[in-house]
Amino acid sequence: MDQMSVGLQSVIKSLNDTVFDAIDPADHLAREQLKLAVGYIDFVRKRLHLVHGRERYDLRHYAELSHALLATGDGGAAAPLRAMLPAAEAMLNDPKALTGEVRALAFELAHAVATFVQQAHAERSPACAAIDRAVLEAAEAKLDMERLWYEPVGFDPVLPTGATLEERLK
């Protein structure tokens, strides 16, 4: 049985109860940095069980965006997207795909999407308006998921309504 959450909670307790008191009270920077480190460890602990779902979400996001971009009919820039989509779709349908593999392919597909958009604009493609619309439409759902993902950090006073983070990651 995996005990990562319990282990991370123990690290947080140790840092707060022992290390914080060992730092010179006059060293405000060190105390602040420790608080930031503890906060990030706690964030990771709270999101650890969702990391794989998040990576799959990103891959699905870029696969869907790739389909939308290919539907614009833009020429030569489409080849890398077309070449990568079968692997992305196969991985999305593979329950055994490891988190690191999903992350790596999502990163590669995101790069191919960015290259497609940049090349279309550099060539002043007539499809640029349709390409931009596709990117903007896909960005709204991605932004809402990101806002929910970072909710424990506490920067966003009004979270998106509708589906929960867990529902969005399915």
Side-chain angles (χ1 to χ4, degrees):
M1 178 181 292
D2 185 20
Q3 297 295 322
M4 277 195 263
S5 182
V6 172
L8 290 172
Q9 188 63 49
S10 296
V11 169
I12 290 168
K13 183 170 178 30
S14 172
L15 291 171
N16 282 332
D17 294 353
T18 306
V19 176
F20 187 79
D21 292 338
I23 297 174
D24 181 352
D27 194 344
H28 300 291
L29 180 60
R31 286 178 167 251
E32 182 62 30
Q33 290 300 305
L34 180 60
K35 286 180 183 179
L36 289 172
V38 166
Y40 190 75
I41 293 167
D42 193 44
F43 169 77
V44 169
R45 184 186 64 79
K46 290 175 181 173
R47 291 294 187 238
L48 191 60
H49 68 290
L50 300 172
V51 169
H52 186 73
R54 181 197 163 90
E55 299 301 340
R56 290 182 56 79
Y57 175 92
D58 284 345
L59 181 57
R60 186 172 54 252
H61 167 78
Y62 289 111
E64 290 170 359
L65 180 53
S66 295
H67 281 291
L69 293 174
L70 290 172
T72 66
D74 204 59
L81 288 182
R82 275 198 194 90
M84 293 185 73
L85 268 175
E89 290 168 350
M91 188 168 287
L92 286 168
N93 290 317
D94 182 2
K96 294 179 183 178
L98 298 176
T99 304
E101 295 170 341
V102 175
R103 178 183 301 124
L105 187 53
F107 185 79
E108 289 176 36
L109 189 55
H111 179 72
V113 163
T115 300
F116 176 94
V117 173
Q118 290 169 351
Q119 187 173 343
H121 279 276
E123 295 172 357
R124 300 180 197 258
S125 167
C128 281
I131 289 168
D132 292 347
R133 272 192 302 278
V135 170
L136 289 173
E137 287 171 10
E140 184 177 5
K142 176 84 164 132
L143 179 60
D144 283 350
M145 187 284 298
E146 294 288 349
R147 289 173 61 204
L148 289 169
W149 179 261
Y150 288 104
E151 181 268 332
V153 176
F155 291 128
D156 200 337
V158 180
L159 293 172
T161 58
T164 65
L165 175 62
E166 289 80 358
E167 291 167 341
R168 291 169 197 259
L169 295 181
K170 288 184 179 176

